[in-house]
Amino acid sequence: MSKKISFYADLDAAKKDDVYYSLTMFPYPSWSALHAGHASVFTLNDVVARYQRMQWKTVLNPFGFDSFGLPTENYAIKVGKTAQEVTKENAAYFLEQLGSMDLSFDEKRLLYTSDAEYYQWTQRIFSQLFKAGLVYRDTMYVNRCPDCQTVLANDQVVNGKCERCGAEIMQKKHPQWFIKITDYADRLIDDLALVDWPEETKTNQINWIGRKYGTEIDYEIDGHPGDYITVFTTRPDTNFGASFVVLAPDSDYVSQYMDSFPNKEEVQAYVKKSLAKTTVQRMQDAKHKTWVHTWLYVVNRLNNKKIPLYIADFVLANVGTGAVVGVPAHDPRDFDFATLMNLDVVRVVQSQEGDDTPIKKSEDVFTDEGIVMNSDFLNGLTTQEAKEKINDYLEQKGRGKKIVTYKLRDWSVSRQRYRGAPIPVYYDEHGEPQLIPDEELPVVLPLDLEEYKPTGKSPLEDHPTFSTYTHKNGKNYQRECDTLDTFMCSSFYFLRYIDPRNTQELGNPEWMNKALSVDFYSGGKEHTVWHLLYARFIHKFLYDQGFVAESEPFKKLFHQWMVMGADGRKMGKRYNNGVDPLEVAREYGSDVLKTYLMFMWPLDADKPWDYNSVRGVQKFLKRVETLLEWEKTDHNQLPNELISLMHKTIKGTQYDYEHLKFNTVVSKVMILVNKVYDCKVVSNELLLMIAQLLAPMATKVAEHIREKLEQEGSIHYSRFPDFDENKIAQEMLNLPVQFNGKMRGTIEASPWIQQDEVMSLLQNNEHFTKYFEGKEIKKIIYVQDKIVNIIVA
């Protein structure tokens, strides 16, 4: 019987260059069981961790639970238990399932965000943000879930519904705490160049932040000399073609000029109806525009033309200035609106080829850059030249200025729910918010609150003692009873893992310097603009404060694939098609489960669960173990072809492990094992090497083989095998090469050649270089040793 292996990362003894931090996003304990889809995520991370351990790295591979927030609280209410009970019960079964999978988590670093020893750091970070001037309280329209009875950030609303419970969201004015994530908008975009992340994820974050370079232009309100509506536009060069201006219903302009609107009651009714919608609904409804005429006009001071002023809910008050100018000849949305209103459509940009045909239909709208026309002193200039000239003109005349705007809004962190870190604030005798002193943290969430179903106010307000704060001066004050958004807790948990029992500081500075940044981070792409954005922001703040030495938290990010049910649908409760990994591990063994999960398909491809393939993996691992029963041959007496394939397999699997190609790791070892059976010979050294190649996945089988071969120590702390290039037979193959699906020839290559090596050969081959000239590579489709298809444009 082998001893239990410790996977504790001793950061005291390790050198910085020898530390590898492998991490998967921690789960909510809001459901009682994980299915095979979840198991695949944890297995992926564990394989990475085990491989790096066999590179003799000190591997930090911790685990914990995101145990605060709506998911756990809602589940507890649903099943009629306390949130504490649910957290304890579900986490225990969760850990039992993970234990059955033989994962190499660092058990000494287990944490729960709902423990006071953890969330005191959530509160301390909030306090640091407050002291840095990055926290404020304001009353404004927010997204409110009527079922969860709490406020949600924009990114917690999906298709107009609560991403937790699915209820339709409503807009409501509410006092809230906000964190100025917008102060970090530029760095959150620019620093994405520093990390190895999926391009899609980077693009989605950039689009969510929504940085736009444009111009603010002042339009004078007709009949109100000296009063202006300031619009934001990214195309100031087209403003000679402006036909209308639209205000957001919740903009300050509307309330400021409400009494000036001849149809005031109609406007008020429209505004009320619009503000009942969420921001997301208003954006989604933009194709089905609603509006109200104000019967006021504004003056385009470029040409002194009066144009109508409307109010429409597709314009948002917190984007740009809350006022947009419509140029229908050069924006399809503006054209649709102008057509509805029977407004002028004036073309002011012709194509580079000289097409100046009047715009009559939406498909004729010209959105490209070109040559300016019908624009007085801008005529004949290119779009870029016209932008520069009009900006200079507006600034000289005091009628506008260049500006950068962002779609990103400040982070609303107040929640009117029980399960969260209490906000460490009280209100003094003047009603001004004051921080609870650091030495009094944590502000502990009371565990004796019997009723906390959502009612629209913070449940802690009804606690008999919590809502009163007794100051050291002896006076009693009102305590803040909202709790913090759970994304505050998950924005730094990877830091706390490094030194989770430290009560004096966020973490041992020396340990944090060695461990950070996280080398490999895996999780779902649904967290792109939630957890991942907030974690980057908080990390950058802590970097500015000197708590961490790196400005980005995660060096490499990988989004896992989706394991589908056997019916081809997403695995889960909805379709009753989940596969319990604990049951699979009991019937087939954890090695079969993990090896199958990594062997199914490439890691970034969705795949259906297939028990026939599970049994195929079981048969393969049994064939490997059966080699223990064979009589062993002296290693030097093995056939050359077997020795060659052994070194070739080591080389190939080493590359595959480092590039997350775990399915081809298994297939390469299968080929080697088949060759062993063909040759009917094996040595102790060869069998041990096979075990080491499989060890990151087939953990128990590999350990069993090492023990039977009477090797000292655990195979999981042994060195991954090295290959000898000189012992690999130089076979060659002719690889078919396609460009955009058309066969363009073949190129001679060695077997198991990798994609980057193929591309290097092609780009240095005279026959193929012409297909790259003047083209951008859009995609590479490579089936190893079979074919390569390069998509260029």
Side-chain angles (χ1 to χ4, degrees):
M1 179 71 70
S2 59
K3 295 181 180 179
K4 183 176 175 61
I5 305 169
S6 171
F7 294 106
Y8 174 71
D10 186 351
L11 296 178
D12 255 340
K15 296 180 180 178
K16 179 174 176 58
D17 291 343
D18 293 333
V19 176
Y20 189 92
Y21 194 167
S22 182
L23 184 64
T24 191
M25 296 179 187
F26 63 170
Y28 302 116
S30 55
W31 24 268
S32 59
L34 59 92
H35 57 60
H38 306 118
S40 65
V41 180
F42 301 126
T43 299
L44 158 64
N45 182 73
D46 197 59
V47 171
V48 171
R50 287 181 182 272
Y51 173 75
Q52 291 296 331
R53 207 173 279 119
M54 294 180 72
Q55 296 297 322
W56 285 0
K57 296 282 189 180
T58 296
V59 175
L60 180 60
N61 183 26
F63 189 76
F65 291 97
D66 193 3
S67 47
F68 258 161
L70 289 179
T72 306
E73 184 175 330
N74 285 346
Y75 182 79
I77 292 172
K78 178 181 177 181
V79 299
K81 295 183 178 181
T82 68
Q84 292 87 350
E85 288 176 308
V86 164
T87 298
K88 184 176 180 180
E89 292 172 3
N90 289 359
Y93 187 66
F94 208 118
L95 292 172
E96 181 186 354
Q97 289 181 300
L98 294 179
S100 74
M101 294 173 61
D102 192 35
L103 301 176
S104 63
F105 289 124
D106 186 338
E107 296 178 354
K108 292 184 179 180
R109 287 185 162 90
L110 181 68
L111 60 76
Y112 296 78
T113 61
S114 54
D115 286 348
E117 69 174 6
Y118 179 89
Y119 66 73
Q120 70 160 313
W121 299 103
T122 309
Q123 295 171 343
R124 289 178 185 275
I125 290 172
F126 178 90
S127 295
Q128 289 294 326
L129 288 161
F130 189 105
K131 294 172 185 176
L134 292 172
V135 174
Y136 64 95
R137 196 167 188 264
D138 197 3
T139 298
M140 60 179 61
Y141 283 100
V142 292
N143 303 311
R144 187 168 184 84
C145 174
D147 289 359
C148 294
Q149 287 290 325
T150 192
V151 168
L152 301 176
N154 282 342
D155 42 24
Q156 292 169 311
V157 178
V158 180
N159 297 324
K161 297 181 180 180
C162 173
E163 57 100 12
R164 297 298 186 206
C165 73
E168 290 282 347
I169 297 303
M170 57 186 291
Q171 289 279 292
K172 186 175 181 180
K173 271 199 169 184
H174 201 284
Q176 287 289 292
W177 286 98
F178 294 89
I179 297 177
K180 296 180 181 179
I181 189 174
T182 51
D183 281 15
Y184 283 70
D186 285 322
R187 289 167 63 185
L188 288 169
I189 290 176
D190 298 340
D191 288 358
L192 285 170
L194 305 176
V195 294
D196 180 9
W197 283 26
E199 287 303 317
E200 180 185 4
T201 302
K202 289 184 179 183
T203 299
N204 287 340
Q205 283 209 359
I206 290 169
N207 290 342
W208 185 261
I209 296 167
R211 180 169 62 190
K212 286 186 177 181
Y213 296 93
T215 305
E216 287 184 352
I217 303 176
D218 297 331
Y219 279 72
E220 188 170 30
I221 301 175
D222 187 43
H224 295 258
D227 285 0
Y228 302 95
I229 300 292
T230 301
V231 304
F232 172 80
T233 176
T234 58
R235 291 293 302 270
D237 55 298
T238 66
N239 264 248
F240 276 95
S243 294
F244 60 90
V245 168
V246 183
L247 303 178
D250 46 342
S251 72
D252 290 339
Y253 292 124
V254 173
S255 56
Q256 181 179 353
Y257 292 102
M258 183 64 76
D259 291 336
S260 299
F261 301 144
N263 55 336
K264 176 180 176 181
E265 292 184 359
E266 183 184 5
V267 171
Q268 288 177 324
Y270 178 80
V271 169
K272 182 178 180 180
K273 183 178 179 180
S274 297
L275 297 185
K277 299 179 182 179
T278 68
T279 299
V280 176
Q281 287 172 320
R282 287 165 60 181
M283 293 170 68
Q284 290 173 337
D285 288 347
K287 292 182 179 179
H288 308 285
K289 293 180 175 64
T290 65
W291 69 91
V292 63
H293 202 316
T294 67
W295 299 108
L296 292 183
Y297 292 80
V298 294
V299 178
N300 183 349
R301 292 187 288 170
L302 291 173
N303 53 17
N304 292 320
K305 180 180 179 180
K306 294 180 184 179
I307 57 179
L309 180 66
Y310 297 92
I311 299 171
D313 61 11
F314 62 85
V315 181
L316 305 178
N318 56 9
V319 176
T321 64
V324 298
V325 60
V327 183
H330 302 290
D331 186 296
R333 295 163 298 182
D334 294 350
F335 180 88
D336 291 343
F337 191 79
T339 301
L340 287 171
M341 301 293 103
N342 196 28
L343 301 175
D344 292 341
V345 179
V346 180
R347 182 167 188 161
V348 292
V349 182
Q350 65 182 17
S351 70
Q352 296 284 359
E353 295 75 28
D355 181 6
D356 59 1
T357 306
I359 307 299
K360 300 293 186 181
K361 303 189 297 292
S362 60
E363 54 265 32
D364 297 333
V365 172
F366 185 73
T367 59
D368 294 338
E369 296 187 358
I371 307 298
V372 178
M373 57 184 283
N374 295 328
S375 299
D376 195 10
F377 60 90
L378 300 181
N379 288 340
L381 298 178
T382 66
T383 295
Q384 290 303 316
E385 291 170 341
K387 281 185 178 181
E388 293 176 13
K389 189 163 186 177
I390 192 66
N391 281 332
D392 290 342
Y393 174 85
L394 291 169
E395 290 186 344
Q396 289 171 5
K397 296 287 186 180
R399 298 176 182 176
K401 62 181 179 180
K402 290 183 287 187
I403 194 170
V404 182
T405 66
Y406 304 88
K407 187 173 74 174
L408 180 69
R409 300 296 95 198
D410 283 336
W411 180 9
S412 166
V413 295
S414 299
R415 296 295 178 266
Q416 295 75 49
R417 294 298 291 256
Y418 169 51
R419 289 289 288 177
I423 297 176
V425 163
Y426 70 94
Y427 296 90
D428 64 21
E429 57 266 31
H430 305 293
E432 293 296 318
Q434 307 292 337
L435 286 174
I436 303 291
D438 288 351
E439 60 270 19
E440 296 182 28
L441 299 181
V443 176
V444 178
L445 185 72
L447 301 181
D448 57 348
L449 190 65
E450 296 180 358
E451 181 59 57
Y452 52 86
K453 290 182 179 179
T455 62
K457 68 175 184 178
S458 298
L460 291 173
E461 292 181 23
D462 294 329
H463 190 274
T465 60
F466 181 85
S467 60
T468 299
Y469 170 68
T470 302
H471 195 276
K472 59 185 178 182
N473 64 13
K475 295 182 179 179
N476 289 333
Y477 298 104
Q478 174 66 42
R479 190 193 293 276
E480 173 61 68
C481 290
D482 280 2
T483 53
L484 287 166
D485 180 9
T486 186
F487 282 118
M488 274 291 291
C489 290
S490 62
S491 66
F492 68 95
Y493 77 106
F494 50 93
L495 302 178
R496 193 62 184 154
Y497 272 143
I498 297 171
D499 193 9
R501 310 296 171 243
N502 191 328
T503 60
Q504 301 304 309
E505 51 194 348
L506 183 58
N508 180 315
E510 182 182 352
W511 290 10
M512 293 178 75
N513 183 54
K514 289 178 180 180
L516 295 172
S517 298
V518 176
D519 292 281
F520 179 77
Y521 195 38
S522 59
K525 65 174 62 177
E526 67 270 17
H527 297 290
T528 296
V529 295
W530 301 344
H531 161 62
L532 287 171
L533 190 64
Y534 294 143
R536 292 183 63 226
F537 160 61
I538 292 296
H539 196 83
K540 289 182 181 300
F541 169 71
L542 294 174
Y543 170 77
D544 291 346
Q545 297 293 310
F547 291 105
V548 295
E550 305 283 347
S551 65
E552 283 289 330
F554 314 118
K555 294 177 186 175
K556 182 176 180 63
L557 173 69
F558 185 84
H559 295 310
Q560 78 273 15
W561 68 102
M562 186 180 296
V563 179
M564 316 297 284
D567 56 5
R569 295 186 293 186
K570 181 179 179 181
M571 190 176 288
K573 293 179 181 179
R574 180 179 180 182
Y575 301 115
N576 194 31
N577 62 352
V579 175
D580 186 342
L582 185 56
E583 294 300 321
V584 177
R586 285 170 179 165
E587 183 173 354
Y588 297 97
S590 60
D591 283 3
V592 173
L593 169 65
K594 293 185 294 182
T595 305
Y596 168 71
L597 287 170
M598 297 298 98
F599 179 55
M600 293 169 73
W601 292 101
L603 292 180
D604 56 358
D606 294 343
K607 60 217 71 174
W609 185 268
D610 181 1
Y611 273 107
N612 286 330
S613 297
V614 173
R615 287 185 281 271
V617 170
Q618 183 185 39
K619 181 179 178 181
F620 162 64
L621 293 180
K622 184 62 178 175
R623 278 166 60 84
V624 173
E625 281 195 286
T626 299
L627 295 176
L628 281 169
E629 302 169 9
W630 286 23
E631 183 178 344
K632 306 303 185 292
T633 300
D634 184 283
H635 189 67
N636 294 322
Q637 299 302 313
L638 292 177
N640 287 338
E641 60 180 325
L642 194 52
I643 291 292
S644 174
L645 184 57
M646 181 187 81
H647 286 278
K648 180 180 172 185
T649 304
I650 295 170
K651 178 182 180 180
T653 55
Q654 187 179 84
Y655 179 94
D656 289 347
Y657 271 121
E658 290 171 358
H659 292 80
L660 306 180
K661 299 177 180 292
F662 301 152
N663 62 319
T664 54
V665 168
V666 179
S667 63
K668 286 179 172 64
V669 178
M670 284 180 169
I671 292 171
L672 177 60
V673 171
N674 287 341
K675 175 62 74 173
V676 169
Y677 272 82
D678 289 344
C679 295
K680 297 181 175 59
V681 63
V682 72
S683 66
N684 284 340
E685 292 88 344
L686 175 55
L687 181 53
L688 178 62
M689 184 274 297
I690 291 172
Q692 288 175 307
L693 297 184
L694 290 172
M697 289 178 259
T699 54
K700 292 180 180 178
V701 167
E703 192 72 276
H704 175 64
I705 290 173
R706 185 175 176 90
E707 288 177 358
K708 289 296 183 181
L709 294 178
E710 298 180 350
Q711 299 288 315
E712 292 184 2
S714 168
I715 196 168
H716 303 296
Y717 282 100
S718 68
R719 183 80 180 190
F720 196 83
D722 287 324
F723 64 91
D724 186 340
E725 190 73 51
N726 294 323
K727 292 183 178 180
I728 300 175
Q730 296 302 309
E731 307 165 6
M732 302 300 286
L733 57 84
N734 289 316
L735 182 70
V737 179
Q738 293 182 342
F739 281 82
N740 295 339
K742 294 183 179 181
M743 184 62 67
R744 299 299 187 185
T746 62
I747 192 164
E748 191 175 62
S750 58
W752 294 356
I753 188 171
Q754 305 300 333
Q755 180 176 296
D756 55 351
E757 296 172 307
V758 171
M759 293 304 296
S760 178
L761 286 175
L762 293 174
Q763 290 170 328
N764 289 283
N765 183 292
E766 290 184 4
H767 175 72
F768 293 107
T769 51
K770 61 186 176 185
Y771 298 110
F772 291 104
E773 291 176 359
K775 303 289 180 61
E776 179 183 353
I777 298 174
K778 295 294 186 180
K779 188 176 183 180
I780 301 170
I781 304 168
Y782 176 52
V783 181
Q784 194 171 60
D785 292 357
K786 302 295 183 182
I787 195 169
V788 61
N789 182 17
I790 303 157
I791 309 301
V792 296

